[in-house]
């Protein structure tokens, strides 16, 4: 940091971001009552109060405790309770039992959030120099909290959506525009392309290792697959025909008795689905959501196409979508559903994450960071597939063309959809 | 019912009992916050709010709905949510997933309780005749709620006790008296004895079928085994020596890595245990609690003795303990722990339930009641063992010498202890 | 043993029995090829070669090794491989993985049998005194091998019966007589009866503890329930109606999709079953076999009756059936199926074991033997139910009125059937 | 096929190959007795007799049945029993229960092999034209049987290796040469490389889709990691330090209590391992074998390097290893162990398969074949990692630089090893 004036500016901006991000987490919880903060219906879901505490622990543990003079931890037991998976940080409460903990209560966790926020304000407003590395960790903390905001929305949807009462989280805003569902495939010429993060702004370690890939000529869809298109797959017996499926996918379908995307149910012969506005008729124009990789892949094969690779996605996105569009739904819009494609926009960001046919693996020049943050991304690089593009629970300032999300292929409580591609 | 005056009196008494029982359930929940009402750490534990709703559903479904003119159910979804195991009553939410439901919220369930209580008041205060059978069901409902009060205390202890924060539910009252731990064995002569419920007051179907049994001469301990005595078993390597154990018990010990009663843990070389007053030093004079049948049986064998049968227990109890003593702890005392034996009292009631070496099976003249209540007791008569005597979470007016409680032999989150016997 | 002449006679008789029992085990395996000796389709089934070796190990380990001077074990690894569940005897190969062992080959195990048989001949023919205790162990070994002959027949039936080729083990002999299916209930007056083994011949520890029981007046069926009667239960929807079932039984029915006794299958609308003579039409007059306790109990309740207790069975058996009848099928007959009741015989022995409504628990004066043999019976006294009477895989000289067999209530690969009782 | 003379020649060659391949399968089974052909200790292992029958079924079902006039299947039940995973071919016996089948006996399966072989001889010796597509399927059948020969060796090693008797399958041949363990890294320049199968000989569908990839400059080891090097990892606490591990790998290590490669055990402080020659001291110069992807990856990270991608492997192999070397061990050598690197050879083929850091996914121009054979490779393209190079159980004429093998990352009963790479 060259001059202290610059740093003051930087710290002011950081503090401003910090307060906004932290406030959004709280805002997302406003429709909830204490009971809703506690349950963990399946192992992949964390109780909302756990997200509230864990994101706070991240700042306390990685920013305040090592860097703020005389900082006293809010509660010595919280380190054990709210460490997620950092082996570097020692023993922790087992993930699958997060829903077994009624204490600390939500108001205690809210007090924890306030306590850490107060100390973060002091820390960032102090006259003293803040080390570049600390600023880097702080930025990670903000993006980390944005990731947990997204998980929080997945998780609270799961908690509410499996409840036979189908409670409303927040009513939808009225649709503004006429959707444009014309199907169009963007063509990309073969060649050597550069992928991975190249700028100077925030990015995760797994996007680094900018490198070249050779891509053969391909076409990629300019919008997402809709509910209506997916219904055709269901009606054509897609879930019953092994020909479209990976073997483990078809075993999953049979074992779990899968017949439609998650949250879909048939009432009186008509498909409905649970949304954050309650149980709704399915809008056929909306992008399909809550499909696993297996379902996305089977749908693509049924269509005679395939899913794009993550690099096909990234290159097409950079060529055709220079900025994050206003037309998609992001968490900033507080409109908790995917939006049908509007006008002539290509639909690369927001709405729903898109499964790619790329396994989540290290880039050629990938370097694992030192210390606990080395556990942030690298250790998950097996048995998971890459998703790109963000969803209606992602922050607009969190997504970028090189952003690599990843999940196991059978998971579908996240907001996941489908885009098709093919060589030609 | 011979005369209407008698019935008014009876109904008044019933209403009085009803209000007392219902009030106690609410009182037991007072130290809890909404989060504590939701979790289900293991399948055997139900969330406290589920107990609150299920006991209410019992009165709504079996008393009000069939008998009160114009009664409207509080919420049509509650039948599905709060039916426990009555196949007669149709489909229901799966037991193992009770902890996955954040809704209805606690305040909604409290409103449900009030709604049903108001209607019960009207129902019992009306000028109209109430059928004898209805009164019988109502009495079952009260004893049913007392049973759930007991489960509620087990369950909230489990919820709090596995939490690393070891929260206090309620502080203990100071000990009043000097314990008398002198060991004494009561002798009973051989002969034909009559067992099973013979009076005219409330009792469950499984106690009926009064019948005769032949008992050989036996001795039975006049007090419960203490923590101190059980520590000797631990220190003698009791958990490691297969000779004392049933095979399935020893497999359970190894598989679950059992080394002490539930809630016991070693800190700095000393045994402590979680109690409803928080983490405490173990009082060696207190009756041992939270042992499974396997542990009780192994302890007895290590002592060169055995557990009594349920009939040995019942006959000895009737001979030596004509009334429910004041000296034991019951839920009425709000002193949530077992009490060391006081003075010359025999310790047959309250404090902790006692495992017997009798399988829970039908008595010779057992008759399953008609309808849903036929599912109350009979269908559990396999793979479970009988316990006798009540615990510090039992109501004084709920226990009697013929009362048969039953649990699977590996369970120990209940308040269970040990009494020894032998032939001579 | 008073005189050495007596002992010589006794040893001669013992040797004779030994050779007969050992020969029968080998004979039972004659229809098998090496492959049939190896598999373990479910954990409850042991590979036939394991039975051959384990019964041999019993004599080697408990008779020869401790008592025969200079005895050298056949193979030092066999102790680990063929100890079943004797903790006293140390570590052993895990039961559930018995079918993972292709070695030792069958011919090696046959060599092991010959080796031990040769040494047993020498041991029993020697001029030297044999200690009474050793003779007792030897007798246990013979009865132990008879029990394993029975298990061997269960297990080879399972191995062959789940094979889609439905291979024949041995063709049936032609029926000789007209069955008599007239239903009759034997009446027993109330009173104090003495139960448990009282003679001087061989018996197991779990029959000892002769004691008195009080029985209320009851009626007990004089023959077994037939396939035809059980078909009526099936056709009446018995497997679908929860009213007849214990809760754990009904859960078992639903979880395992049970619709008929084990080995029954419907082909072209008609019930067939796998028998040791291959896939056969079901003979409605034959006693029903391969039912679990749950099914036996549900059938009895559907009939408005109940299963007898083990003491009701024993007392009625002693009153009405002084000798082991010739008319039933035992393993001695090599006719591997249950026989319809013949003439006026009561049907208490052979054909199929009969589930009682008694849990397998210790008798009042039960004493666990010292050493490894203390693990023979006592440690299984939990979660199992008593069966009485023997089956077509039992030896005639092995069964007696006081004999207590026991299995978990869900098991039904054994040869198990139903007799009804009621109070009156 | 241009002329019938050419076809006669081709068919003669094919028949010759057919007979050689079939004979080798039988030869590999010679050291086994019937019992060894039956067991399935874990789900991934198939009983040897299943391999014998399934490979035969492949020829019967895909070559003879559809193409040979008047062909009669050997046994109509075998289609159900020996179809592996072809949904196109209908219902089949469940994979996890292959070890539950004692029938058909080995001699019956050998008769099946002879029967099909006789018919194949007639089919290939007939005067009639054979369609090109049939020839293609026949070639697949031969390579399919070579793959099953390899699985057969894995599986029989597993069956023998978990047996506490540690039986010898075949003694090793004496080492001929001095190993050369000098470590050397081959350098490859960055550029666009062509990968995938390009010739006219046999290859699998998953190698097709020849395409270009961009590779950054890298170094790749010219030999395999040795047992000695892997021991250093163990001694350095590699299995205990989470830093080297993928999260799922570390969970696997803890859950399965992994401390060394499969078949390794410590006796008296020294590492031994089960080999097909019995329990042996570990030769530190031999390539390490029986490591999972997790272990290979952790070892590479501990070394500060990484595993190569499948394309890095393929390009380096093509550049440095133009022919299948004589110096490695293949199944042709009947020397059932990996060989230390000899002389100046690079060690790319044979000995042990090498884990790459490439997920097994479709190539850009991948096309799934029509019909049942479309299920051969494509449906496994998820959650598996690519291995390259063949092993000592591979046939020399079966391997090639473009050959893609694949397994789940936790499996290690196969013959799998490690080669390192890095960018520079």
């Amino acid at each position: 940091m060259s001059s202290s004036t610059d740093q003051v500016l930087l710290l002011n901006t950081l503090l401003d971001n910090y307060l906004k991000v932290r406030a959004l987490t709280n805002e997302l919880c406003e429709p909830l009552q204490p009971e809703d903060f506690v349950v963990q219906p399946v192992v992949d879901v964390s109780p909302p109060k756990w997200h509230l505490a864990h994101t706070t622990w991240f700042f306390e543990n990685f920013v305040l405790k090592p860097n703020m003079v005389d900082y006293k931890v809010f509660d010595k037991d919280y380190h054990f309770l709210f460490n997620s998976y950092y082996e570097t940080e020692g023993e922790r409460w087992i993930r699958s039992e997060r829903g077994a903990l009624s204490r600390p209560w939500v108001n205690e966790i809210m007090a924890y959030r306030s306590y850490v926020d107060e100390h973060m304000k002091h820390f960032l407003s102090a006259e003293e120099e803040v080390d570049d590395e600390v600023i880097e960790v702080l930025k990670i903390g903000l993006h980390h909290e944005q990731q947990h905001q997204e998980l929080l929305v997945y998780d609270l949807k799961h908690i509410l959506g499996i409840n036979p009462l189908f409670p409303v989280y927040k009513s939808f805003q009225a649709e503004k525009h006429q959707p444009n569902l014309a199907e169009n495939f963007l063509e990309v010429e073969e060649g050597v392309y550069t992928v991975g993060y190249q700028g100077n702004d925030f990015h995760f370690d797994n996007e680094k290792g900018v490198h070249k890939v050779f891509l053969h000529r391909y076409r990629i869809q300019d919008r997402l697959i809709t509910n209506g298109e997916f219904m055709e797959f269901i009606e054509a017996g897609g879930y019953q025909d092994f020909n479209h499926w990976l073997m483990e996918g078809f075993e999953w379908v049979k074992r779990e008795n899968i017949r439609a995307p998650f949250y879909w149910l048939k009432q009186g012969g008509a498909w409905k689905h649970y949304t954050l506005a309650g149980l709704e008729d399915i809008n056929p124009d909306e992008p399909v959501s809550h499909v696993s990789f297996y379902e996305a892949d089977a749908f693509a094969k049924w269509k005679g196409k395939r899913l794009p690779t993550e690099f096909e996605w990234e290159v097409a996105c950079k060529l055709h979508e220079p900025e994050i569009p206003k037309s998609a739904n992001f968490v900033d819009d507080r409109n908790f559903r995917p939006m049908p494609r509007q006008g002539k926009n290509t639909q690369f960001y927001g709405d729903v994450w898109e499964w790619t046919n790329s396994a989540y693996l290290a880039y050629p020049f990938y370097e694992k960071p030192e210390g606990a943050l080395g556990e942030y991304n690298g250790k998950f690089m097996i048995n998971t597939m890459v998703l790109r593009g963000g969803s209606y629970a992602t922050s607009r300032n969190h997504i970028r063309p090189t952003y690599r999300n990843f999940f196991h292929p059978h998971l579908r409580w996240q907001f996941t959809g489908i885009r098709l591609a093919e060589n030609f």
Side-chain angles (χ1 to χ4, degrees), chain A:
Chain A
M1 209 41 54
S2 53
S3 84
S4 72
T5 322
D6 282 2
Q7 196 180 45
V8 169
L9 273 169
L10 171 67
L11 293 184
N12 282 349
T13 310
L14 270 175
L15 178 55
D16 192 49
N17 285 342
Y18 176 87
L19 296 174
K20 278 184 193 147
V21 168
R22 300 282 288 171
L24 177 56
T25 308
N26 291 3
E27 184 193 328
L28 290 170
C29 293
E30 271 166 24
L32 306 181
Q33 290 285 326
E35 294 90 331
D36 301 319
F37 285 88
V38 180
V39 304
Q40 180 180 36
V42 297
V43 67
D44 303 293
V45 164
S46 291
K49 77 186 176 89
W50 184 88
H51 290 294
L52 294 178
H54 166 67
T55 48
T56 305
W57 167 84
F58 194 99
F59 289 112
E60 177 177 71
N61 191 62
F62 294 122
V63 177
L64 294 176
K65 213 164 76 175
N67 298 301
M68 192 181 198
V69 179
D70 293 336
Y71 179 75
K72 281 185 61 183
V73 297
F74 180 76
D75 186 309
K76 71 175 172 36
D77 288 320
Y78 284 17
H79 188 68
F80 176 76
L81 288 176
F82 300 122
N83 174 10
S84 50
Y85 54 67
Y86 298 94
E87 300 272 353
T88 312
E89 299 297 316
E91 294 291 308
R92 61 211 163 279
W93 185 254
I94 190 173
R95 182 186 178 204
S96 59
E97 299 302 311
R98 286 176 187 163
L101 297 179
S102 69
R103 314 284 176 103
W105 293 321
V106 176
N107 59 13
E108 293 170 313
I109 286 172
M110 286 302 184
Y112 180 37
R113 289 184 70 84
S114 298
Y115 177 87
V116 165
D117 287 352
E118 282 311 302
H119 283 80
M120 284 295 291
K121 278 188 227 171
H122 286 294
F123 180 67
L124 293 175
S125 315
E127 303 291 286
E128 289 155 57
E129 287 279 312
V130 178
D131 197 75
D132 278 9
E133 274 183 40
V134 179
I135 287 169
E136 196 50 37
V137 171
L138 202 157
K139 284 183 186 168
I140 293 178
L142 293 176
H143 285 271
H144 173 259
E145 182 136 353
Q146 289 182 318
Q147 292 180 317
H148 277 278
Q149 285 165 359
E150 180 143 6
L151 289 167
L152 175 65
V153 182
Y154 301 165
D155 291 357
L156 63 86
K157 181 167 180 182
H158 196 295
I159 290 165
L160 302 177
I162 58 139
N163 195 302
L165 305 175
F166 296 125
V168 173
Y169 171 72
K170 184 170 179 301
S171 299
F172 289 153
Q173 298 158 26
E175 254 342 310
K176 287 164 228 157
H177 302 289
Q178 203 52 24
N180 166 15
L181 301 181
E183 193 179 36
N184 201 12
F185 277 79
L186 310 171
E187 300 192 354
V188 180
E189 285 309 306
E190 83 162 33
V192 173
Y193 292 90
T194 298
V195 293
Y197 188 78
Q198 298 185 76
N200 296 309
D201 291 333
F202 179 81
H203 56 282
F204 283 112
D205 56 40
N206 62 9
E207 304 165 66
K208 245 185 265 187
V210 50
H211 64 289
K212 293 180 201 153
V213 295
F214 184 91
L215 297 183
H216 288 271
R217 198 167 65 144
Y218 67 102
R219 284 196 192 94
I220 189 166
Q221 224 177 352
D222 70 344
R223 65 158 173 79
L224 297 164
I225 292 298
T226 65
N227 285 326
E229 287 166 317
F230 202 85
M231 275 181 199
E232 290 172 28
F233 172 73
I234 298 176
E235 280 154 27
Y239 280 99
Q240 286 76 50
D241 186 350
F242 64 84
N243 280 296
H244 316 313
W245 294 84
L246 291 163
M247 190 168 76
E248 295 185 7
F250 200 57
E251 286 169 355
W252 170 81
V253 162
K254 287 185 291 184
R255 189 175 61 245
E256 308 279 329
N257 199 21
I258 307 286
R259 296 158 186 270
F262 193 42
Y263 296 125
W264 288 36
L265 57 90
K266 228 169 186 164
Q267 269 191 352
W271 283 112
K272 301 200 163 203
H273 62 164
Y274 177 74
T275 71
L276 285 165
L279 198 63
E280 298 270 324
D281 289 332
I282 288 175
N283 175 356
D285 296 344
E286 240 177 52
V288 69
S289 186
H290 295 296
V291 290
S292 69
F293 174 82
Y294 295 130
E295 288 163 295
D297 182 70
F299 177 87
K301 283 172 179 158
W302 174 72
K303 276 290 202 187
K305 302 220 170 356
R306 60 173 175 79
L307 302 177
T309 65
E310 63 169 321
F311 302 125
E312 288 171 339
W313 191 97
E314 181 173 329
V315 167
C317 173
K318 283 173 177 168
L319 290 172
H320 290 278
E321 187 65 25
E323 293 170 72
I324 309 297
K326 294 278 187 300
S327 62
N329 272 333
F330 286 88
V331 73
D332 317 66
D333 302 297
R334 273 73 161 168
N335 193 23
F336 295 96
R337 60 171 163 174
M339 182 179 279
R341 194 255 298 266
Q342 305 292 315
K344 291 181 183 169
N345 290 307
T346 58
Q347 199 172 21
F348 272 104
Y349 294 117
D351 296 322
V352 289
W353 288 96
E354 305 166 31
W355 287 107
T356 72
N357 197 33
S358 293
Y360 176 55
L361 294 169
Y363 283 177
F365 302 102
Y366 175 70
E367 281 182 41
K368 194 175 83 161
E370 290 290 306
L373 296 178
E375 298 185 55
Y376 200 99
N377 279 307
K379 74 182 185 181
F380 302 100
M381 290 175 173
I382 192 70
N383 290 339
T384 47
M385 300 301 282
V386 173
L387 299 102
R388 295 292 193 119
S391 81
Y392 62 83
T394 311
S395 286
R396 256 192 191 82
N397 69 8
H398 181 69
I399 198 67
R400 31 188 190 276
T402 58
Y403 193 107
R404 308 175 78 198
N405 199 353
F406 53 90
F407 280 102
H408 287 94
H410 67 288
L411 293 175
R412 55 187 202 148
W413 96 110
Q414 337 88 292
F415 307 150
T416 51
I418 309 171
R419 176 194 309 283
L420 302 181
E422 66 185 336
N423 288 96
F424 72 106

